[in-house]
Amino acid sequence: MASHRRPKQPSRARAYVLTGAAATAVVLSAQVNAHAAPAQPNKNEVKAQVDKLLEEQEQSTEKYNGAKERADQLRKQADQLQDQVARGQEQLNELASGLAAVAGDQYRHAGVDPSMQLMLSSDPDKYLDQASSFDQAASTQTATLKALQEQQRRLEQQKREAATVLAELDSRTQELNGARSTAQSKLAEAQRLLSTVSAADRASIVRGDDGSASRSASRVDPASLPAASGAAKVAVDAALSRQGLDYVSGATGPNTFDCSGLMVWAYAKAGVSLPRTSQAQAGAGVNVGTDWHNAQPGDLVIYKSDRSHVAMYIGNGMVVHAPKAGDVVKVMKVDAISINVIRRV
């Protein structure tokens, strides 16, 4: 008869070994999972972040454009003032030299009053003539002294004006560099995010869903649009001729543009000078309101509450614009973005 033996229990040491091995397996599994390739980013999330970054980049670009325009004006003004100061200093030196000569002559005559010198002259017959000449010289000396004082006052004023302009120029230059740095960092971050998605998704994100024609879409033919006239026609034709060219921050053509730069370039072709930034362009010409149905070809359509984007109305409910980094000059629906104001140049 077989005996019934109790199964042998694993030793406590063996149980510890098994438990330790299991724990090690769990830890290794966790480490492998932690170092596994991250999941593919969600296209919609990347798009939302990229859109926000590119919008901020455009805002910084327009700030850069405004600072650069003002800095250029200040630099020209400072150069003119410094030229005036240099010329004024030369005139002051000439006047001072004239007075120095008079003072030297007086010193050589031991400070004797000129009129007394004439009265004691050994040739009294010439006294009256010399007295008249002395009066004229004294009058000239007085006039020279007054001119010297006025020139000193004017020179000091010019120096103060130049110092003020140079101080503002320094401030604008710092603002310029800051805006450029911000724009570049926003663009770099957007590019980094775009590199995490597929090429197809990347193209879709950059193209957007704002009713814009794609990079490869057929160009809009000006002949298919409502007739414009005068400067507006020239500007519309010029802007449409740039379709397909790249957006570049701070560019005003002829081969790359930012949004306001395209407007400046197109209207310059018509002999019309526009302010450099979209914010400043929002004050150009005549206010047409916000209803695009009242727009005419050539009108500037300013977008967003901060007026950081601008396009040109071309008719048929469409505008041409330079959208954002990574995109090209193209057309879109006029009301694809919130309209701030429409201006007729």
Side-chain angles (χ1 to χ4, degrees):
M1 183 175 178
S3 61
H4 297 280
R5 295 182 178 179
R6 186 177 182 182
K8 187 177 180 180
Q9 298 297 319
S11 67
R12 180 169 298 182
R14 179 178 173 79
Y16 284 158
V17 170
L18 291 173
T19 303
T24 300
V26 171
V27 171
L28 288 174
S29 176
Q31 290 177 342
V32 169
N33 290 334
H35 290 87
Q40 188 74 7
N42 181 285
K43 171 191 169 184
N44 292 333
E45 293 176 351
V46 171
K47 181 182 185 308
Q49 294 179 63
V50 168
D51 285 347
K52 184 175 185 299
L53 285 167
L54 292 182
E55 181 176 357
E56 292 171 347
Q57 188 258 354
E58 185 173 42
Q59 292 169 349
S60 297
T61 293
E62 288 304 294
K63 184 176 181 180
Y64 166 85
N65 291 338
K68 185 177 185 304
E69 181 180 43
R70 181 56 180 157
D72 290 343
Q73 293 171 349
L74 289 169
R75 194 171 290 108
K76 185 180 296 184
Q77 185 178 352
D79 288 344
Q80 293 172 345
L81 283 170
Q82 288 174 328
D83 286 344
Q84 291 176 8
V85 167
R87 289 195 299 270
Q89 187 64 57
E90 290 178 358
Q91 294 172 357
L92 185 65
N93 293 341
E94 290 176 1
L95 289 170
S97 296
L99 285 179
V102 173
D105 184 67
Q106 290 178 344
Y107 176 79
R108 285 191 297 274
H109 288 84
V112 178
D113 186 275
S115 59
M116 182 62 67
Q117 293 180 34
L118 290 175
M119 292 177 66
L120 298 176
S121 173
S122 60
D123 190 358
D125 294 336
K126 295 182 180 179
Y127 173 78
L128 294 178
D129 291 339
Q130 291 177 334
S132 176
S133 298
F134 167 72
D135 288 340
Q136 292 177 359
S139 176
T140 299
Q141 181 180 352
T142 300
T144 301
L145 180 58
K146 288 182 179 179
L148 179 64
Q149 293 172 333
E150 176 61 23
Q151 184 61 26
Q152 286 177 323
R153 184 198 64 76
R154 188 182 302 113
L155 184 60
E156 289 302 317
Q157 177 64 26
Q158 290 171 344
K159 287 180 178 179
R160 286 193 295 270
E161 290 176 5
T164 299
V165 169
L166 288 171
E168 185 181 352
L169 175 58
D170 182 64
S171 175
R172 289 289 179 169
T173 301
Q174 293 180 26
E175 181 183 344
L176 181 71
N177 292 335
R180 177 167 50 196
S181 176
T182 300
Q184 291 172 341
S185 66
K186 297 293 183 183
L187 180 57
E189 178 61 14
Q191 291 171 335
R192 186 194 68 77
L193 285 170
L194 286 170
S195 69
T196 65
V197 299
S198 68
D201 285 345
R202 187 158 54 247
S204 175
I205 289 171
V206 171
R207 184 169 62 249
D209 55 2
D210 59 0
S212 296
S214 69
R215 179 186 289 264
S216 60
S218 298
R219 297 187 177 192
V220 173
D221 182 359
S224 68
L225 299 171
S229 60
K233 174 176 172 50
V234 175
V236 169
D237 290 347
L240 288 174
S241 74
R242 303 292 91 182
Q243 290 178 92
L245 297 182
D246 290 328
Y247 174 104
V248 173
S249 296
T252 57
N255 298 317
T256 56
F257 302 88
D258 60 24
C259 67
S260 55
L262 178 62
M263 305 300 109
V264 169
W265 182 86
Y267 263 102
K269 292 297 181 181
V272 177
S273 177
L274 287 182
R276 177 62 185 89
T277 67
S278 57
Q279 290 87 354
Q281 289 172 9
V286 178
N287 191 336
V288 183
T290 59
D291 185 351
W292 69 265
H293 294 89
N294 297 325
Q296 296 178 4
D299 287 353
L300 303 180
V301 184
I302 314 296
Y303 293 100
K304 306 177 184 179
S305 60
D306 62 357
R307 299 180 170 183
S308 60
H309 190 67
V310 59
M312 183 183 297
Y313 189 70
I314 58 175
N316 296 344
M318 305 293 288
V319 292
V320 60
H321 69 148
K324 56 189 175 184
D327 213 334
V328 297
V329 175
K330 58 188 180 184
V331 299
M332 74 171 179
K333 296 176 181 177
V334 62
D335 57 353
I337 308 175
S338 176
I339 297 175
N340 181 283
V341 68
I342 301 171
R343 306 293 299 195
R344 184 157 300 149
V345 180

